[in-house]
Amino acid sequence: QHLIDILKHPDVPNDKETLLKTLCWLSNACLRLGDIDAGQKYGQQINDLLAQMDEDSDSQPLAQVAYGIVLRAAGKHAEALPHLEAAIDSYETLELTEADYTTSDLLRNLATVQMETGDYTAAEATHKRTLQHLETQDAPLEKAHIYRDRGILYLHKGEPEEAIKTWVVALRLYEGQ
């Protein structure tokens, strides 16, 4: 609520780009706090504002990811898919802040949505892309999350042995932290 009050202050820029980024950060914060309902409310505001803006807006990919992740968190996987896919090509080139979703957040959520909509081949390819993206980074927890998610994918595919092997890799990475 404090941030919303600050946004109403006359000295705060009131342009659509600033508002859109702020809504993205608010939805992200709500989801991290486990408040999916509030995240959805901000997500709907993101979507409404996106409809009023040019498609070449600098914040468009950030907003597509934020809205897609809100939809995924709410279990609306088919609705989330086009938003996450719309951002995939341009997202890696953005200058992100700590309040933004990371590229691996985007890719992990995209893989989850692909899995939940039954596109196991695309989900596996997205998991591989995420691991490639993380290769040059010191991000063992992010890698562990991917292996955890891949195990869930294998379970969905009816491959429990592969799921267990993959989860063992995830557990080793988690234990290292």
Side-chain angles (χ1 to χ4, degrees):
Q1 182 62 46
H2 183 66
L3 183 56
I4 294 169
D5 292 339
I6 289 172
L7 288 172
K8 294 177 185 175
H9 193 277
D11 293 336
V12 174
N14 195 13
D15 62 283
K16 289 182 180 180
E17 289 285 332
T18 302
L19 181 57
L20 189 61
K21 286 179 184 178
T22 304
L23 289 169
C24 291
W25 296 332
L26 286 168
S27 71
N28 185 348
C30 290
L31 293 182
R32 289 179 189 264
L33 293 170
D35 192 345
I36 294 174
D37 291 337
Q40 282 184 289
K41 289 176 186 172
Y42 290 119
Q44 187 57 54
Q45 291 176 54
I46 291 167
N47 193 43
D48 294 344
L49 191 55
L50 273 173
Q52 300 171 26
M53 297 178 71
D54 294 331
E55 286 188 23
D56 61 348
S57 156
D58 291 341
S59 300
Q60 183 87 8
L62 180 67
Q64 292 285 5
V65 169
Y67 188 54
I69 289 175
V70 164
L71 290 170
R72 196 256 338 131
K76 299 175 182 177
H77 302 108
E79 291 177 51
L81 187 60
H83 294 283
L84 296 172
E85 288 178 333
I88 196 81
D89 291 328
S90 58
Y91 203 74
E92 292 177 324
T93 62
L94 295 179
E95 291 183 31
L96 302 173
T97 69
E98 288 185 26
D100 298 324
Y101 288 106
T102 64
T103 301
S104 60
D105 289 331
L106 163 59
L107 293 169
R108 279 187 43 237
N109 279 276
L110 177 60
T112 298
V113 166
Q114 291 166 329
M115 178 190 69
E116 291 294 341
T117 57
D119 194 347
Y120 298 147
T121 303
E124 180 66 27
T126 302
H127 284 307
K128 287 179 183 176
R129 180 176 176 177
T130 311
L131 288 171
Q132 288 171 344
H133 170 75
L134 292 171
E135 257 178 27
T136 59
Q137 300 175 27
D138 181 30
L141 285 178
E142 288 293 323
K143 291 175 186 173
H145 296 332
I146 298 305
Y147 284 106
R148 177 202 60 208
D149 293 351
R150 284 179 85 180
I152 294 168
L153 173 64
Y154 288 131
L155 199 58
H156 276 256
K157 290 172 60 175
E159 300 175 22
E161 296 84 13
E162 283 301 311
I164 292 169
K165 288 179 193 175
T166 306
W167 286 330
V168 167
V169 173
L171 286 172
R172 287 188 181 132
L173 288 166
Y174 283 127
E175 286 175 347
Q177 295 303 300

